[in-house]
Amino acid sequence: MNYVDSGLKVVGTRPIRPDGADKVTGRAVFAADTRAPGMLWGKVLRSPHAHARIVSIDTSKAEALKGVLAVVTAADFPDIRSEEAFVGEGPMNFRDLALNCMARDKVLYEGHALGAVAASTQEIADQALALIDVTYEVLPHVIDVEAAMAPDAPILHDDMFTGGVDPKPTKPSNVAKVVTFKKGDIEAGFKEAEVIVEGTYTTQPVHQAYIEPHACLATYAPDGQIQIHSSSQGHFMVRAYTAKLLGVNLSDIRVNPAEIGGGFGGKTLVYLEPLAVMLSKKSGRTVKMQMTREDVFRASGPTSGAWMEVKIGAMKDGTIVAAKQVLKYQAGAFAGSPIGPGCMCGFAMYDLPNVHVVGYDVVSNRPKVAAYRAPGAPITSFAVESLMDDLALKLGIDPLTLREKNAAKNGTKTHYGPTHQNIGFTAVLAAVKSHPHWKTPLKEGQGRGLAAGFWFNIGGESSASVHVNEDGSVTAATGSPDIGGSRASIGMMVAEVLGVPATTVRTIVADTASIGFTHVTGGSRVTFATGMAATQAAEKVVEDLKRRAAQKWDIPVEAVEWKDGAAYPAGSNAGAFEPLDLATLALKAARTGGPLIAEVSLNAQGAGPGFGAHICDVTVDKETGHVTIDRYTAIQDVGKAIHPSYVEGQIQGGAAQGIGWALNEEYIYNAKGQMENPGFLDYRVPVASDVPMIEAVLVEVPNPRHPFGARGVGEVPIVPPMAAIANAIRGATGVRLPDLPMSPPKVRAALDARK
Amino acid sequence: MAKTYVSTTINGESSEFLCETQQTLLDVLRDVVGLTGSKEGCASGDCGACSVILDGRLVCSCLVLGVEAEGKTVTTIEGIANGEKLHPVQQKFLEHAALQCGFCTPGLIVATKALLDENPNPTETEARYWLAGNLCRCTGYDKVIRAVMDAAAELRGETVG
Amino acid sequence: MSSLSYAAPTSVDDAVKLLAGSSGLAKVLSGGTDLLVQLRSGRLKPELIVDTKKIPGIIGIREENGGFVIGAATPGAVVEAHAGMTAAWPGLVEALDLIGSTQVQGRCSLAGNLCNASPAADSVPALFAAGAIAVVVGAKGRREVPVEQIPTGPGRTSLTKDEFILEFKLPPRPARSSDAYLRFIPRTEMDIAVVGCGISLMLDEKGVCTAARVALGAVAPTVLLVQAAADVLVGHTLDADTLAKLDAAAQAAAKPISDKRGTVEYRTKIAGVLARRVAAIAFDRAQGIKNGKVH
């Protein structure tokens, strides 16, 4: 059923979230908040070298230390053969995942895990790590993406032969694959173009920087049953990956989803869980592990740094006729950068006849990259949206008009295949045009930047159950960890279908043994896919309720309607019966067919893509290069805002991460390939005084494939900020900064160079 | 060295514990006393997730030794509400949706209470600079600051209800 | 079991005995905002921590001979709340206010900031410019040391193992004198200074500078007192020519390194920029004109 046009009573309002009281009182239980009797502390031994062969590991002294109950290395884990599986937001090779969790033969980045211990105190565990004797043969390392592609670069994997190249190379390299997307005839396009602009851009690796470090507890019982309590973006993913890495049955693992303190894609895979389980198996006790902040930076996936070249050709009236891009993304130590989405997203906002995009997935001696909020898209859009701004300047056309002229619309065929349907980009651009920010005159020394962004959003597998309790209150359970308030929005959709107030419904996140399979909380899919499952489950419950009312009234079920939380005879012909509300029917459930429950599992199709446009005003201190964000407006098509506050929150949070990415965040390496800033002191995320209020403008172009019109919203907002800020800096100073981050020394140097 | 016996007051109640010298007040609160509301985000005083109020002053509990709590009063997130009645700061955080994952929230709420205890009428800029030591990665701080300003107004008696 | 001991002596003599008598490394604990981070990272492995906060007078501010005396372990937040200090030494107060976060200021101390001896410490350039005197106590008794003689290199001081700072003495403030401190950081808060500059000066009735002390932070192994920059100011008003010369003197004195926080070239330029901006604020304040950010 589709509720898009009906009068909604709950969806679209702003109730207090059901898990809120726990979160503001410190009661909410995150993975590291849990203890168990006799629990051991697990710690990880990590490589100090960026690239080295492991000649030998001697754990005997560590094992002999009083208080140490288990030590593990790669020898304790199955040797996984290469096997591809798609889970999460990118292809996952289980052999690579296993090697990333525990190195075998070689360490490939500073921080790469190669052993772990479990001991009765944290202090003893630290002492044990120091007693593990590792002999390394240090190898030359390579960090930068272009250096990794050079013919004489140190090779990370002897069996890496570049995919997507014909003929297949015979020599290994650091290029895992090349991908190409083509539409039309790019040569002809550039020949036709009256104006051509081009640019080269670089970005540095940045980390998701969630405030909660990875943590888990694991218990391996003598009969092989495994319990894991962990903060993750997907407990079914934790179960699947842990089972695969340990070679056990999925049904022998039960994963409890703890509250999660931020993920942004970085917690859609495992690092600690397989180690904790193995340590528990060897010691016979529950093992707790948590990463230090330094380990989070050194050894959990940031996103790629990149090198990009973009070339755009247009007619004098602003119609773009040719668009070309070459992208080189760092994958970290194992293949799997988001090069695919990077190639797809840069031009996805525009209706272009001739497109040619080539992307390279390149490994280097850095932590394996993990998904980070619209993986690949922020990077490519930094380049494309900066160049669009230069094109507008060269053409003498307003940057908004340039985008309106070339905007993708319903029916636009993308360069990567699908055709856009039911999209809201033109509505977003219209909202920019009419927004007061766009019309506010700039002060002396200020500059204004505009940039657009796109993300596909995904659907996928979700399960949800709705139970009407004996007193008429409702419990909804899903398999989706709640990072941003999804318990609230799911409960609201269920309440809307049932016709009851939001407070009647309690939403929980159930463990892997208690609910059907559910894909990760990522890809902006939960409100869409899990919301769809929950809505359908609620609808099934409503059908059941109607059937029971029909039975009681002895009328056909078609003659019963459900409205405002009660069954009514549909029209006076059906009979003059008093309505039966949820509580009344629930009380009699046992006698009318049993418990009132429905569970739905589905593979949601029809996820609608999201478009956004951000306006940013900056002031640049020309002597220091310091950039101040004076005003920020983020406009986005959100389909239908189920709970507007949490939709706004996603937009504001994504924009703030983009601001940090634009101005100050980066991984800094020394000559030995070691990270120099693995902490919040020198890895500079925005603090409260760095940003102004971020106005989130919700444009609603409903997605007809979702019962309430919802679209994913969480990822689009991180895509526009870097170019919006770069364009604003250009507006304020006349200088184009093509390299991220646009930190003060770079801004000052660019200003000096211009003189 | 043997553990030190420490006698202190936490959230208005007497508390006694044994701890080693190198254990921070954060370690003690979480692992010894069992108050896990204060969080470890960095253990180096850069994120504020471990914020507590020590003898009336806002501090990072990861930068205080457990033994230094001797004879002092400590207020943690668990002591902000009055039984089941939420403090106005907590209530405003909920009303303004000033939290998403909730991990930084205890630290932010303790820091906000300390701000309003010292300055009941902060400007937006003053609030932002006071809270600069509390990192949040989810919200972009917008709704947090709105909640703080609204809580301040309520505590000054300027709002109804 | 850890071998780290803790003591909280209640007199100077007891504290000195503990420090002098320690066979292994003994560290003084004031605010702990540097020490605890270094303990956890393993950079320091002491056997004994001597918490000086219970020594009478080591926390608190009093007036003596027309000037302020600040207990060495006084938290920054206490200094910032002191109306007399804020009026007489707004530069030193604002420098202290910039260390870390609100939480850090609830604990950090002038002595800790000085003796940790980071070249980028925020309160130190202002403390140098103020001409503060450190009252050092140790096995040989009490001695008074100009603060600029305390740090000798990154992480190193001139104090012997039995010594610690008890308090800081600030000179009386004549009319038409004031100070200011600015640092450059990439964000708006929370960063270690890329460059810091503290200036304290005195003007005559015509607004001509009669005395000045200029200090630069984060551009050398220790915070620098730049006599050449002070010489530029004395005898002049802050006209365009003086500003240009001040900028040049600051740049000439700067001998920074390139590290994750800044390059040689950038730090050198910023030293000049900050010297000009700090001097402008100090001149205004000395003439009774409010200037400078207050947060």
Side-chain angles (χ1 to χ4, degrees):
Chain A
M1 187 183 155
N2 197 295
Y3 303 82
V4 171
D5 296 318
S6 40
L8 297 169
K9 298 209 172 75
V10 179
V11 166
T13 64
R14 301 174 188 248
I16 305 256
R17 59 194 280 173
D19 56 316
D22 280 350
K23 295 223 162 134
V24 298
T25 54
R27 282 195 191 87
V29 179
F30 296 82
D33 297 334
T34 316
R35 304 181 61 79
M39 172 183 97
L40 302 177
W41 288 89
K43 296 231 176 198
V44 180
L45 180 68
R46 299 186 181 280
S47 165
H49 303 295
H51 194 194
R53 205 170 304 282
I54 303 171
V55 176
S56 65
I57 307 184
D58 180 355
T59 59
S60 55
K61 282 194 231 114
E63 289 173 60
L65 183 66
K66 180 163 187 274
V68 173
L69 274 78
V71 180
V72 297
T73 63
D76 294 288
F77 294 83
D79 195 351
I80 309 264
R81 280 163 321 164
S82 185
E83 184 176 328
E84 306 288 342
F86 179 78
V87 191
E89 284 162 26
M92 178 58 69
N93 177 314
F94 280 116
R95 185 195 71 161
D96 288 350
L97 180 67
L99 289 173
N100 194 48
C101 287
M102 186 64 81
R104 191 184 287 271
D105 305 327
K106 266 178 109 177
V107 286
L108 292 163
Y109 54 95
E110 183 219 11
H112 197 169
L114 63 150
V117 306
S120 50
T121 72
Q122 295 199 62
E123 212 196 341
I124 294 174
D126 280 328
Q127 287 165 5
L129 291 182
L131 289 172
I132 299 179
D133 242 311
V134 184
T135 307
Y136 295 101
E137 180 201 332
V138 179
L139 302 168
H141 69 276
V142 63
I143 299 284
D144 178 67
V145 67
E146 292 214 278
M149 292 176 76
D152 56 347
I155 300 294
L156 273 72
H157 302 281
D158 292 326
D159 58 353
M160 181 168 284
F161 300 95
T162 309
V165 173
D166 190 27
K168 199 171 169 73
T170 51
K171 272 182 62 186
S173 76
N174 292 322
V175 182
K177 71 174 183 216
V178 182
V179 292
T180 310
F181 295 90
K182 290 188 203 178
K183 182 184 181 198
D185 180 345
I186 194 71
E187 312 271 317
F190 278 117
K191 262 216 195 82
E192 189 193 343
E194 293 171 323
V195 172
I196 295 178
V197 286
E198 51 195 318
T200 306
Y201 307 86
T202 64
T203 73
Q204 298 303 313
V206 293
H207 198 277
Q208 301 82 347
Y210 27 84
I211 311 299
E212 180 209 26
H214 301 256
C216 70
L217 267 83
T219 309
Y220 188 105
D223 65 352
Q225 304 254 24
I226 298 167
Q227 298 253 31
I228 299 176
H229 184 76
S230 121
S231 290
S232 79
Q233 288 176 246
H235 39 307
F236 287 89
M237 171 278 300
V238 172
R239 184 179 73 167
Y241 286 11
T242 305
K244 193 76 195 179
L245 265 48
L246 299 178
V248 302
N249 291 332
L250 290 167
S251 55
D252 285 337
I253 303 183
R254 184 172 183 179
V255 185
N256 255 295
E259 296 292 346
I260 167 175
F264 315 110
K267 291 180 181 163
T268 58
L269 71 169
V270 295
Y271 297 99
L272 298 175
E273 289 83 347
L275 276 58
V277 172
M278 197 54 81
L279 287 168
S280 177
K281 181 177 181 187
K282 275 187 125 177
S283 64
R285 306 263 276 274
T286 298
V287 175
K288 176 168 173 174
M289 299 183 80
Q290 56 189 77
M291 282 200 193
T292 63
R293 177 54 53 185
E294 292 77 20
D295 284 353
V296 172
F297 277 116
R298 283 203 196 97
S300 73
T303 192
S304 310
W307 177 99
M308 296 171 283
E309 215 170 50
V310 190
K311 186 171 168 184
I312 300 179
M315 308 307 281
K316 286 209 195 84
D317 71 350
T319 310
I320 297 174
V321 291
K324 185 174 157 129
Q325 197 176 18
V326 176
L327 304 105
K328 299 174 184 168
Y329 278 21
Q330 285 168 324
F334 300 93
S337 75
I339 190 65
C343 289
M344 292 187 255
C345 291
F347 297 128
M349 293 173 271
Y350 304 110
D351 188 350
L352 308 172
N354 305 298
V355 182
H356 185 110
V357 183
V358 179
Y360 298 83
D361 184 28
V362 183
V363 297
S364 64
N365 294 110
R366 318 190 42 257
K368 171 179 166 45
V369 305
Y372 180 16
R373 210 161 193 164
I379 299 168
T380 185
S381 284
F382 166 63
V384 172
E385 292 297 296
S386 292
L387 192 61
M388 286 289 281
D389 194 63
D390 286 351
L391 177 63
L393 190 66
K394 194 161 180 182
L395 290 169
I397 294 180
D398 172 87
L400 177 60
T401 307
L402 180 64
R403 275 141 181 122
E404 284 174 323
K405 222 172 163 47
N406 294 285
K409 300 176 172 59
N410 294 338
T412 298
K413 187 162 163 64
T414 63
H415 64 283
Y416 55 91
T419 300
H420 284 314
Q421 309 278 17
N422 304 304
I423 61 170
F425 192 36
T426 40
V428 166
L429 294 175
V432 170
K433 198 173 211 157
S434 62
H435 196 279
H437 186 172
W438 190 246
K439 302 180 224 165
T440 306
L442 286 167
K443 296 198 193 84
E444 176 78 40
Q446 268 188 331
R448 177 166 295 154
L450 172 75
F454 163 88
W455 185 248
F456 326 86
N457 303 321
I458 64 172
E461 297 168 287
S462 279
S463 301
S465 67
V466 173
H467 310 226
V468 182
N469 303 310
E470 313 88 271
D471 62 353
S473 65
V474 180
T475 303
T478 78
S480 292
D482 181 354
I483 315 186
S486 49
R487 269 168 293 195
S489 39
I490 291 186
M492 289 164 73
M493 288 184 266
V494 169
E496 189 75 57
V497 172
L498 292 174
V500 298
T503 47
T504 305
V505 182
R506 271 273 177 241
T507 314
I508 65 152
V509 183
D511 67 52
T512 54
S514 307
I515 193 80
F517 180 85
T518 302
H519 195 31
V520 296
T521 294
S524 306
R525 63 177 295 277
V526 172
T527 308
F528 175 73
T530 306
M532 192 188 288
T535 302
Q536 289 185 16
E539 287 168 344
K540 280 191 167 174
V541 167
V542 166
E543 287 311 304
D544 193 355
L545 289 161
K546 282 159 65 174
R547 185 188 56 71
R548 294 171 199 233
Q551 190 184 355
K552 178 168 168 66
W553 294 331
D554 199 20
I555 61 176
V557 69
E558 301 78 44
V560 179
E561 65 178 6
W562 185 266
K563 199 176 56 178
D564 296 333
Y568 289 80
S572 50
N573 291 341
F577 299 105
E578 286 302 305
L580 292 167
D581 70 7
L582 197 54
T584 310
L585 286 163
L587 195 61
K588 299 192 171 59
R591 277 179 274 142
T592 57
L596 279 157
I597 291 172
E599 177 162 336
V600 167
S601 289
L602 46 69
N603 187 342
Q605 304 299 307
F611 291 81
H614 293 192
I615 314 166
C616 176
D617 292 349
V618 305
T619 301
V620 180
D621 181 328
K622 299 202 168 86
E623 289 199 304
T624 64
H626 194 272
V627 176
T628 302
I629 312 277
D630 295 322
R631 186 170 176 184
Y632 203 98
T633 305
I635 301 172
Q636 186 171 324
D637 166 25
V638 303
K640 170 70 189 167
I642 307 297
H643 191 313
S645 301
Y646 290 104
V647 174
E648 291 159 357
Q650 289 295 312
I651 293 173
Q652 292 162 335
Q657 286 180 314
I659 290 169
W661 197 333
L663 293 180
N664 279 309
E665 291 179 41
E666 59 178 324
Y667 268 51
I668 302 173
Y669 282 91
N670 65 18
K672 291 203 203 132
Q674 297 158 332
M675 190 185 182
E676 294 211 297
N677 60 334
F680 281 130
L681 180 59
D682 290 303
Y683 183 86
R684 305 187 184 107
V685 304
V687 300
S689 46
D690 286 336
V691 293
M693 292 297 185
I694 298 170
E695 186 179 342
V697 177
L698 310 183
V699 171
E700 291 182 320
V701 174
N703 174 8
R705 303 287 294 274
H706 184 274
F708 290 98
R711 258 177 228 288
V713 302
E715 290 171 284
V716 171
I718 201 176
V719 180
M722 289 87 85
I725 293 169
N727 295 341
I729 292 173
R730 193 200 52 71
T733 63
V735 167
R736 165 62 59 193
L737 283 148
D739 302 309
L740 292 182
M742 297 175 286
S743 51
K746 285 207 190 97
V747 176
R748 170 79 203 238
L751 288 167
D752 288 348
R754 192 189 38 158
K755 287 199 203 110
Chain B
M1 159 158 185
K3 292 188 182 182
T4 305
Y5 167 83
V6 177
S7 168
T8 182
T9 306
I10 303 180
N11 297 328
E13 289 175 19
S14 300
S15 179
E16 303 165 341
F17 53 82
L18 290 172
C19 71
E20 306 211 1
T21 303
Q22 77 274 12
Q23 281 182 289
T24 64
L25 178 57
L26 178 65
D27 294 334
V28 165
L29 286 170
R30 290 180 58 77
D31 300 330
V32 178
V33 178
L35 293 171
T36 56
S38 309
K39 307 298 181 196
E40 177 181 313
C42 71
S44 57
D46 297 307
C47 77
C50 67
S51 298
V52 300
I53 297 174
L54 181 68
D55 274 2
R57 223 168 264 296
L58 180 67
V59 300
C60 279
S61 58
C62 74
L63 293 182
V64 177
L65 293 176
V67 294
E68 292 183 272
E70 171 65 41
K72 298 212 180 303
T73 58
V74 183
T75 304
T76 71
I77 181 65
E78 290 91 345
I80 300 293
N82 187 0
E84 66 168 41
K85 186 164 157 33
L86 292 178
H87 189 281
V89 170
Q90 291 167 310
Q91 186 61 33
K92 289 302 175 186
F93 266 64
L94 289 177
E95 287 169 19
H96 284 270
L99 58 146
Q100 290 179 31
C101 80
F103 193 76
C104 74
T105 306
L108 264 172
I109 288 176
V110 170
T112 300
K113 178 170 187 312
L115 165 65
L116 299 182
D117 283 347
E118 178 166 311
N119 179 0
N121 198 358
T123 63
E124 181 189 326
T125 304
E126 286 171 338
R128 287 184 180 275
Y129 274 92
W130 179 278
L131 296 173
N134 289 83
L135 300 184
C136 174
R137 198 58 164 161
C138 293
T139 67
Y141 306 103
D142 184 298
K143 292 179 190 298
V144 168
I145 299 299
R146 289 179 200 277
V148 171
M149 302 302 284
D150 197 10
E154 168 141 332
L155 287 166
R156 291 193 304 269
E158 287 167 22
T159 57
V160 179
Chain C
M1 186 73 82
S2 167
S3 57
L4 180 59
S5 299
Y6 169 86
T10 52
S11 72
V12 169
D13 283 345
D14 286 348
V16 171
K17 278 201 195 84
L18 284 163
L19 290 170
S22 172
S23 52
L25 177 64
K27 291 298 289 184
V28 170
L29 170 66
S30 292
T33 53
D34 284 318
L35 181 61
L36 266 69
V37 177
Q38 292 161 359
L39 280 179
R40 192 182 150 273
S41 71
R43 187 169 136 192
L44 283 178
K45 293 183 166 74
E47 283 186 15
L48 172 64
I49 290 178
V50 178
D51 184 347
T52 56
K53 295 194 288 294
K54 293 205 169 96
I55 296 172
I58 206 165
I59 293 180
I61 304 170
R62 65 181 195 277
E63 276 188 72
E64 210 172 78
N65 303 324
F68 289 109
V69 180
I70 307 173
T74 309
V78 171
V79 179
E80 290 151 34
H82 192 275
M85 276 295 300
T86 313
W89 299 99
L92 179 55
V93 170
E94 68 196 346
L96 204 43
D97 189 31
L98 285 171
I99 300 177
S101 59
T102 309
Q103 288 88 339
V104 167
Q105 285 148 37
R107 302 286 286 172
C108 72
S109 66
L110 283 169
N113 204 223
L114 181 67
C115 296
N116 186 52
S118 161
D122 276 313
S123 69
V124 179
L127 200 60
F128 280 23
I133 304 287
V135 175
V136 175
V137 290
K140 297 203 189 80
R142 244 174 102 110
R143 61 192 180 99
E144 297 198 349
V145 182
V147 289
E148 60 268 24
Q149 291 176 17
I150 301 286
T152 56
R156 296 194 313 274
T157 70
S158 59
L159 300 178
T160 54
K161 97 170 200 178
D162 56 296
E163 289 182 314
F164 62 98
I165 299 178
L166 180 63
E167 57 198 19
F168 293 96
K169 289 180 167 176
L170 291 170
R173 226 37 181 137
R176 286 184 301 278
S177 64
S178 195
D179 64 344
Y181 175 81
L182 286 177
R183 70 176 179 186
F184 179 75
I185 52 170
R187 292 182 289 184
T188 55
E189 263 290 357
M190 298 302 288
D191 290 323
I192 298 287
V194 175
V195 180
C197 178
I199 298 179
S200 177
L201 45 75
M202 188 161 78
L203 308 177
D204 68 15
E205 321 76 49
K206 299 201 198 77
V208 174
C209 180
T210 55
R213 285 169 69 91
V214 177
L216 286 174
V219 291
T222 63
V223 172
L224 296 175
L225 258 185
V226 187
Q227 187 61 47
D231 291 344
V232 165
L233 293 175
V234 173
H236 296 97
T237 58
L238 202 62
D239 55 26
D241 185 55
T242 306
L243 282 167
K245 289 199 175 97
L246 178 65
D247 186 317
Q251 290 205 41
K255 301 272 177 290
I257 56 169
S258 287
D259 67 7
K260 64 191 170 202
R261 298 185 184 127
T263 60
V264 169
E265 190 190 61
Y266 183 71
R267 283 178 146 133
T268 305
K269 283 187 190 152
I270 300 303
V273 173
L274 289 186
R276 280 188 273 114
R277 294 182 183 183
V278 174
I281 298 171
F283 261 77
D284 273 354
R285 286 177 176 166
Q287 290 167 324
I289 303 166
K290 274 195 186 307
N291 194 340
K293 190 159 73 166
V294 173
H295 64 258

